[in-house]
């Protein structure tokens, strides 16, 4: 997955990060908090702050400890909440840490770690555009139209 962009839910003004599956027209919208949206956007836009923000501090600490972030994964959707994990390489072994998707993504944009989503999360929550999407503006317009019609509750898991 790649971070395609960050937008806002038109109803509740809640930030949403939009992940795009590589090589497909599937998009995964994840509602996140304002501070995490700012952290992701700042890094994507190349902005910096005079003092390290929380995710910058985390990334710097990992570097000083010679720990690298090797991947982040959106692992499941349970009761309207997305779950994620951060995989770290520590002294030649992999350690998996539970995380909110927003924090995992904020770390991924700083570390360059690849982003994954579980197949069942994609199957349950992804939006797929029927035709090939070429223009970023076209995707953004379609996504905004979609956001005008949905809320986080629309992504509640079923009983099946």
């Amino acid at each position: 997955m790649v971070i395609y962009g960050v937008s806002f839910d038109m109803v509740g003004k809640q930030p949403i990060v939009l992940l795009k599956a590589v090589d497909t027209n599937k998009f995964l919208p994840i509602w996140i908090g304002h501070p995490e949206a700012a952290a992701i956007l700042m890094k994507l836009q190349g902005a910096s702050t005079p003092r390290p923000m929380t995710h910058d501090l985390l990334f710097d600490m990992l570097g000083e400890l010679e720990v690298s972030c090797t991947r982040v994964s959106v692992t499941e959707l349970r009761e309207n909440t997305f779950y994620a994990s951060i995989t770290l390489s520590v002294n030649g072994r992999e350690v998996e840490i539970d995380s909110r998707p927003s924090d995992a993504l904020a770390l991924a944009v700083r570390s360059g770690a690849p982003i994954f989503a579980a197949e069942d999360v994609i199957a349950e929550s992804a939006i797929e555009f029927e035709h090939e999407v070429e223009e970023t503006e076209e995707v953004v317009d379609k996504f905004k139209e979609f956001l005008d019609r949905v809320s986080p509750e629309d992504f509640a898991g079923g009983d099946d």
Side-chain angles (χ1 to χ4, degrees), residues 75-111:
T75 56
E76 67 179 307
L77 174 63
R78 185 174 12 139
E79 297 176 10
N80 251 4
T81 302
F82 285 98
Y83 290 78
S85 66
I86 298 170
T87 304
L88 302 174
S89 177
V90 184
N91 295 325
R93 67 184 180 95
E94 284 197 340
V95 177
E96 197 168 297
I97 308 292
D98 182 37
S99 175
R100 298 181 306 172
S102 55
D103 292 325
L105 294 171
L107 183 58
V109 296
R110 283 158 176 77
S111 65

Side-chain angles (χ1 to χ4, degrees), residues 9-153:
D9 173 339
M10 301 310 274
V11 177
K13 303 296 184 211
Q14 187 74 18
I16 302 171
V17 65
L18 185 62
L19 299 179
K20 182 185 182 301
V22 179
D23 301 328
T24 73
N25 280 333
K26 291 184 179 181
F27 294 83
L28 184 62
I30 301 176
W31 277 257
I32 61 175
H34 289 275
E36 295 79 16
I40 293 168
L41 279 171
M42 283 182 61
K43 192 62 180 175
L44 289 176
Q45 295 171 349
S48 62
T49 57
R51 303 291 301 140
M53 300 301 286
T54 304
H55 298 96
D56 300 312
L57 176 64
L58 176 61
F59 177 69
D60 292 345
M61 288 173 65
L62 291 174
E64 286 298 319
L65 296 170
E66 298 180 7
V67 173
S68 61
C69 178
T70 57
R71 69 187 278 157
V72 302
S73 304
V74 179
T75 56
E76 67 179 307
L77 174 63
R78 185 174 12 139
E79 297 176 10
N80 251 4
T81 302
F82 285 98
Y83 290 78
S85 66
I86 298 170
T87 304
L88 302 174
S89 177
V90 184
N91 295 325
R93 67 184 180 95
E94 284 197 340
V95 177
E96 197 168 297
I97 308 292
D98 182 37
S99 175
R100 298 181 306 172
S102 55
D103 292 325
L105 294 171
L107 183 58
V109 296
R110 283 158 176 77
S111 65
I115 301 166
F116 296 91
E119 288 295 325
D120 56 337
V121 171
I122 292 172
E124 187 174 348
S125 302
I127 306 157
E128 185 168 12
F129 293 114
E130 288 100 30
H131 62 287
E132 192 64 30
V133 177
E134 296 291 333
E135 295 294 321
T136 301
E137 286 181 30
E138 180 183 354
V139 171
V140 170
D141 289 342
K142 287 183 178 294
F143 186 51
K144 285 179 179 174
E145 289 172 20
F146 168 77
L147 291 178
D148 287 338
R149 300 187 311 266
V150 299
S151 70
E153 290 75 30

